[in-house]
Amino acid sequence: MGHLSAMFKLARSLSMKKSKNFCGDGDNGGGGGREAAKAMEKEAKKNELILRSSGCVNVAGSNNLASLFSKRGEKGVNQDCFIVWEEFGCQEDMTFCGIFDGHGPWGHFVAKKVRESLPSHLLCNWQEALAAAESSSVDYLLDEIDLGSDKKLQRFNMWKHCYLKTCAAVDQELEQHRRIDSFHSGTTALTIVRQASEMGFHTFDKTLS
């Protein structure tokens, strides 16, 4: 467990509310972690660490450079959107990237909604996973993370668990959204989290019915 201490320091440094509904809806008595993730996102926007339109983002003092470009085709409205978030989760060596390909009559709205929701949900679930692993009090996480396994495998299992929870939460949000018809429209999302020299990716598909 000692080799995860660097990640656990982040969990200790964050002012996280102890709640079973840590990443839930703030209106239902929980969601303290989601609010913290949203605050991080707001601060990242202020510091120009998030790119959501064609252009480049290059953090001062960093060797990373991200460039994005999108152009509308001849079929009508552009249903594609994207995001790059440097220093994801206040980690200097972490970057989140996402491409969202909408389809169906409301595909552009679904794609933008997923782009807005997925990063903060993922960040919240990641913080929760770090705190749970540190306390060793959550059985579901211990099932995912073998304390005697390889360090990279542990990180992979942690991110896998976070992504599965995130996709389920975003899917539920879309189904409950009153202004978006996510039954006849959808989006495919390809997202990547890069930390130092390691990289993991996940695909989320809200399929066209």
Side-chain angles (χ1 to χ4, degrees), residues 169-182:
V170 173
D171 194 51
Q172 186 177 32
E173 276 189 3
L174 290 173
E175 291 177 355
Q176 296 176 350
H177 201 289
R178 296 180 179 180
R179 297 185 178 181
I180 296 179
D181 180 7
S182 61

Side-chain angles (χ1 to χ4, degrees), residues 51-72:
L51 184 64
R52 297 191 181 197
S53 58
S54 297
C56 299
V57 56
N58 186 13
V59 181
S62 172
N63 294 324
N64 295 329
L65 173 65
S67 178
L68 299 173
F69 178 77
S70 179
K71 183 178 180 180
R72 181 177 66 87

Side-chain angles (χ1 to χ4, degrees), residues 116-146:
E116 293 173 1
S117 298
L118 193 147
S120 59
H121 269 294
L122 180 62
L123 180 55
C124 178
N125 286 319
W126 178 61
Q127 294 171 4
E128 184 183 50
L130 291 179
E134 180 185 19
S135 64
S136 300
S137 61
V138 181
D139 292 337
Y140 72 80
L141 191 58
L142 292 179
D143 290 339
E144 291 284 338
I145 301 177
D146 180 4

Side-chain angles (χ1 to χ4, degrees), residues 36-83:
K38 282 291 187 181
M40 287 185 184
E41 183 175 7
K42 184 177 181 180
E43 186 68 17
K45 290 179 182 177
K46 179 181 178 181
N47 295 328
E48 299 183 346
L49 299 176
I50 295 180
L51 184 64
R52 297 191 181 197
S53 58
S54 297
C56 299
V57 56
N58 186 13
V59 181
S62 172
N63 294 324
N64 295 329
L65 173 65
S67 178
L68 299 173
F69 178 77
S70 179
K71 183 178 180 180
R72 181 177 66 87
E74 299 180 356
K75 294 183 179 180
V77 64
N78 186 0
Q79 294 190 311
D80 302 334
C81 59
F82 46 73
I83 182 174

Side-chain angles (χ1 to χ4, degrees), residues 152-195:
K152 290 184 179 180
L153 181 58
Q154 289 183 12
R155 287 184 177 177
F156 173 82
N157 285 334
M158 181 177 288
W159 279 110
K160 174 185 175 182
H161 175 82
C162 294
Y163 261 110
L164 290 175
K165 286 190 65 177
T166 296
C167 291
V170 173
D171 194 51
Q172 186 177 32
E173 276 189 3
L174 290 173
E175 291 177 355
Q176 296 176 350
H177 201 289
R178 296 180 179 180
R179 297 185 178 181
I180 296 179
D181 180 7
S182 61
F183 183 81
H184 295 96
S185 302
T187 187
T188 298
L190 176 62
T191 62
I192 294 174
V193 175
R194 178 179 180 270
Q195 185 171 20

Side-chain angles (χ1 to χ4, degrees), residues 17 22-27 30-40 124:
K17 184 184 295 183
F22 180 76
C23 290
D25 185 352
D27 296 334
R34 185 79 193 283
E35 293 175 3
K38 282 291 187 181
M40 287 185 184
C124 178

